[in-house]
Amino acid sequence: MDALLTTDLPLPAFRRGKVRDVYDLGRSLLIVATDRISAFDCIMPEGIPGKGRILTQVANFWFDATRGLLPNHLEATRVEAYPEVLRPYAALLEGRSILVRKTAPLPVECVVRGYLAGSGLKEYGRAGTVCGIPLPPGLRNADRLPEPIFTPSTKAEEGHDENIDFATMAGLIGQDLALRVRDASLALYRRGCELALERGILLADTKFEFGLLEDGSLMLIDEVLTPDSSRYWLADAWKPGANPPSLDKQFLRDYLETLPHWNKQPPAPHLPPHVIQGIQERYLDLASRFGVS
């Protein structure tokens, strides 16, 4: 199977992200998940065959599983429900695209962490905090936190997102909305942890995105609890103080960290076949646990 790296549909382009091509349908958007993969804000030259379908199906599982906590933007997942102009592209779109309600996206990434890892671990090692939130002393890599913490970040159009504290987020979107977003993020994370653990995996951390309708209603948008946006660990192999085996993008990050001559700036290095296969196997494993492929 070849990787799908780009799309060209007969619709107005809305935006092209690191992974998703988005098309404008007026009050709705068509989101197509390609097989592109990124790390350290760089898109890799090679894609991961089938990755876009995996992301879409896992996200759709979670949109359905969390609908009782917060409405989401999902309108249709089958090509026969799309506009007629898209029917000739059914083979390309089926399984890797969704039709969604258009919202006004909030300018923040809503990150929830239940374990110490990634950039949070680095900050904790320096200052004993994560995004300015003090944590108990003596925590190790992959330790479970006493309680999940909400650690928002900016949403950079280019370059790196930057971690911010709750007060800064409230300054950007208003105190009342910030509280709604924080509470929704924590509730969604706890639901994710519950269903993931039933499938033998730990949801270490994740990010959510939200948008507003014209009447001010809050909606869950973009992707949710996918292996691109989350850190998933095998529960039976989790051991604080060590790097747990993961079913997400960490395999790619770990490989890239071994490259002495790449400075994490474009152009990204080519991926050898064993890395592409390793990523694909982990994503397929995760998808199978949620009954999707």
Side-chain angles (χ1 to χ4, degrees):
M1 182 192 305
D2 293 330
L4 178 70
L5 296 182
T6 189
T7 64
D8 184 18
L9 299 177
L11 294 171
F14 187 78
R15 69 177 177 87
R16 187 181 298 271
K18 294 186 181 75
V19 173
R20 290 168 178 80
D21 295 346
V22 185
Y23 295 89
D24 198 337
L25 292 169
R27 68 173 293 279
S28 301
L29 297 172
L30 178 73
I31 301 179
V32 185
T34 71
D35 295 333
R36 299 191 295 264
I37 192 166
S38 68
F40 305 115
D41 294 314
C42 294
I43 299 173
M44 302 293 112
E46 292 80 21
I48 310 301
K51 172 176 173 283
R53 286 190 170 87
I54 293 171
L55 293 183
T56 301
Q57 297 308 311
V58 170
N60 289 350
F61 169 91
W62 286 111
F63 278 131
D64 183 63
T66 60
R67 197 178 300 275
L69 297 175
L70 187 74
N72 60 65
H73 66 169
L74 195 62
E75 290 188 325
T77 62
R78 305 291 296 183
V79 176
E80 54 262 33
Y82 296 175
E84 188 70 30
V85 69
L86 294 173
R87 302 295 168 79
Y89 302 90
L92 180 150
L93 296 174
E94 198 64 62
R96 68 164 71 243
S97 66
I98 54 175
L99 196 68
V100 304
R101 180 82 176 270
K102 189 183 288 185
T103 68
L106 300 183
V108 289
E109 302 272 8
C110 297
V111 180
V112 181
R113 306 171 191 265
Y115 296 77
L116 193 59
S119 63
L121 176 64
K122 293 177 182 177
E123 180 185 331
Y124 178 78
R126 294 192 308 268
T129 61
V130 174
C131 294
I133 300 173
L135 294 177
L139 294 180
R140 300 157 294 173
N141 178 31
D143 257 329
R144 183 183 288 119
L145 302 180
E147 292 289 338
I149 57 175
F150 177 69
T151 59
S153 72
T154 60
K155 190 188 296 184
E157 291 297 327
E158 295 183 1
H160 299 284
D161 298 335
E162 294 185 6
N163 293 338
I164 56 177
D165 59 20
F166 180 82
T168 301
M169 186 182 79
L172 291 172
I173 65 174
Q175 180 75 13
D176 289 346
L177 183 54
L179 289 170
R180 289 166 61 195
V181 164
R182 181 197 65 188
D183 292 348
S185 298
L186 289 167
L188 290 164
Y189 174 77
R190 291 188 172 99
R191 177 64 169 157
C193 288
E194 174 188 349
L195 293 185
L197 187 57
E198 291 176 1
R199 291 156 174 82
I201 45 180
L202 302 176
L203 176 60
D205 55 50
T206 193
K207 74 172 181 67
F208 303 107
E209 294 196 38
F210 299 93
L212 294 176
L213 297 179
E214 292 181 357
D215 64 0
S217 299
L218 187 66
M219 276 197 160
L220 180 62
I221 66 170
D222 194 57
E223 60 181 326
V224 56
L225 295 167
T226 72
D228 267 13
S229 65
S230 312
R231 201 183 305 267
Y232 282 108
W233 295 335
L234 296 176
D236 60 2
W238 169 67
K239 183 180 179 181
N243 290 320
S246 63
L247 300 179
D248 52 52
K249 273 205 298 191
Q250 193 59 44
F251 181 77
L252 172 60
R253 298 187 195 101
D254 290 345
Y255 165 74
L256 295 172
E257 291 281 12
T258 69
L259 303 180
H261 303 300
W262 186 52
N263 62 359
K264 299 180 183 175
Q265 299 295 321
H270 288 279
L271 301 180
H274 78 273
V275 172
I276 293 172
Q277 181 180 350
I279 299 166
Q280 186 184 52
E281 288 173 351
R282 285 160 175 79
Y283 277 49
L284 285 170
D285 185 343
L286 181 76
S288 70
R289 293 169 188 259
F290 294 106
V292 302
S293 60

